[in-house]
Amino acid sequence: MDAPGFDADLPLHVERALADFLGRAGTEILRTEPSVAAGIEALSGFVLGGGKRIRPTFAWWGWRGAGGAASGPLAEGALQAVASLELIQACALIHDDLIDSSDSRRGRPTVHVAAEKLHADRGWLGSPSVFGLASAVLVGDLALAWADDMFAEAPLPAATIAAARPAWRAMRTEVLAGQYLDVRTQAVGDASPEAALRIDRLKTAAYTVQRPLHLGASLAGADDRLIATLLEFGGDVGVAFQLRDDLLGVFGDPSVTGKPAGDDLREGKRTLLVALGLQLAAERGDHAAAKVIADAIGAADLTNGTVDQVREALTSVGAVAAVERQIDELTASANAALERAHLAEPAPSALAGLIRLATQRNF
């Protein structure tokens, strides 16, 4: 029987795997070009500076649920493979902050803002903001490249890595497609609930839960039937996770979430919460509520007082209650799929806990 191994404190072991990889990944380039140290340090600081480690956690329990070991050489290899998902996440967040012109992440300056300050402080030539933008693009690209390296170099049999390649390829494509769909939806002004759900399923559900589960289970040799059930489970949990995120984006406590209240509104995100708010306000003929919500979308100078008005409008027209109902329905569906999967213990109880974390969190 396996020792407790990595199950007991998985985030700590993911952190160790990331620190080990990042400590050696830049060694060769730094010998020949030490000036890139600032970019590498920015990436390492971003990756190791916090995060919920949600994606590696779902991938690990996909591995364990499909029969993967909790400890030993194969488990160490699987740990490195699933930890590489955090580098994909770093790429996505660094670029996302740039796209959204966000000033802070986890209570600290975003990568492009920090690079802009570095340029200004050193009195370098050209525009600090252009340097910050370029630096963030390149640091994010480096994270994506190193994610591939970390995954491919995981100490596992070649056939095991090959079995997980379809999940890896799909995940990379889907997160970028979801990001593009999000940007395009904002640009065309599509505020329909259907558009919001398409983004949620592609950008969040597939990338955050479905493909990590798929990847972990594939590393452990799962068959197509189990993978299909895990994808169903992951789709429900992933959308519920995003819906909770949407609520926190408007109603969350900045001291807990690490982002200013109303940031999603300022960034013009057409979340399901906002889409339902506009739809329900129109159906009720509540023109005042509709105007408050519509005017807040993309308003960069949105004040805390106006955010409070949006909160009141979303609540009064029933959008908040509708999103909460959808979270409850998705949670029930996910629990049913989890039961049908018949995963190896202790994966079922761990994944049930992750459902609760994803749907009931306040951060």
Side-chain angles (χ1 to χ4, degrees):
M1 185 174 181
D2 287 325
F6 304 140
D7 292 355
D9 198 347
L10 183 60
L12 179 67
H13 292 292
V14 168
E15 196 86 0
R16 170 178 60 80
L18 288 166
D20 288 348
F21 176 82
L22 290 167
R24 64 179 186 272
T27 302
E28 187 174 343
I29 187 63
L30 286 171
R31 284 198 199 101
T32 58
E33 192 46 72
S35 65
V36 301
I40 290 173
E41 288 168 6
L43 176 57
S44 296
F46 187 90
V47 172
L48 301 176
K52 297 181 278 291
R53 312 306 186 205
I54 291 289
R55 290 152 194 86
T57 300
F58 276 112
W60 177 257
W61 289 113
W63 157 264
R64 293 285 285 124
S71 60
L74 289 178
E76 189 69 49
L79 180 73
Q80 177 170 324
V82 304
S84 67
L85 292 168
E86 282 298 296
L87 288 170
I88 298 282
Q89 173 70 345
C91 169
L93 291 180
I94 291 167
H95 287 170
D96 202 40
D97 286 340
L98 187 61
I99 291 167
D100 294 336
S101 300
S102 296
D103 292 333
S104 65
R105 165 78 60 180
R106 301 168 188 153
R108 293 188 292 272
T110 50
V111 170
H112 65 278
V113 168
E116 182 177 339
K117 184 177 185 302
L118 173 67
H119 184 287
D121 289 347
R122 299 287 174 87
W124 290 343
L125 300 177
S127 164
S129 63
V130 170
F131 178 80
L133 183 154
S135 296
V137 169
L138 294 169
V139 170
D141 288 349
L142 180 63
L144 186 61
W146 279 3
D148 275 339
D149 291 345
M150 189 175 183
F151 175 75
E153 294 169 8
L156 290 166
T160 301
I161 293 292
R165 276 281 172 197
W168 182 258
R169 286 196 298 267
M171 177 268 303
R172 289 182 308 169
T173 300
E174 286 162 353
V175 67
L176 294 173
Q179 183 67 282
Y180 177 77
L181 180 61
D182 192 6
V183 170
R184 184 183 185 280
T185 298
Q186 291 182 49
V188 301
D190 187 347
S192 68
E194 293 77 18
L197 277 172
R198 283 201 306 274
I199 294 169
D200 290 348
R201 292 201 175 278
L202 191 57
K203 184 179 175 182
T204 302
Y207 161 62
T208 302
V209 188
Q210 286 179 303
R211 295 306 179 187
L213 282 168
H214 182 185
L215 185 140
S218 295
L219 289 171
D223 60 24
D224 290 345
R225 183 175 180 180
L226 175 55
I227 287 171
T229 305
L230 289 174
L231 289 174
E232 180 185 343
F233 165 84
D236 291 337
V237 175
V239 173
F241 178 94
Q242 183 58 56
L243 297 185
R244 179 59 63 201
D245 212 49
D246 295 345
L247 287 166
L248 290 171
V250 178
F251 292 88
D253 180 348
S255 68
V256 178
T257 64
K259 293 194 73 174
D263 244 19
D264 284 357
L265 295 168
R266 293 184 186 91
E267 292 161 10
K269 290 186 177 178
R270 263 64 176 184
T271 64
L272 183 65
L273 175 65
V274 166
L276 287 174
L278 291 171
Q279 183 183 72
L280 291 169
E283 290 173 357
R284 295 175 180 220
D286 191 337
H287 303 300
K291 187 175 188 314
V292 166
I293 298 167
D295 288 351
I297 301 172
D301 58 350
L302 200 63
T303 65
N304 288 338
T306 306
V307 172
D308 287 339
Q309 292 175 6
V310 175
R311 289 170 173 166
E312 185 178 343
L314 290 169
T315 302
S316 67
V317 300
V320 174
V323 171
E324 290 286 6
R325 281 195 302 273
Q326 190 136 7
I327 291 173
D328 289 344
E329 291 168 5
L330 289 164
T331 300
S333 179
N335 279 310
L338 179 59
E339 199 170 314
R340 290 199 311 276
H342 301 295
L343 297 173
E345 292 292 349
S349 56
L351 286 169
L354 286 173
I355 294 175
R356 291 191 294 273
L357 177 67
T359 60
Q360 299 173 19
R361 63 198 166 91
N362 65 348
F363 54 89

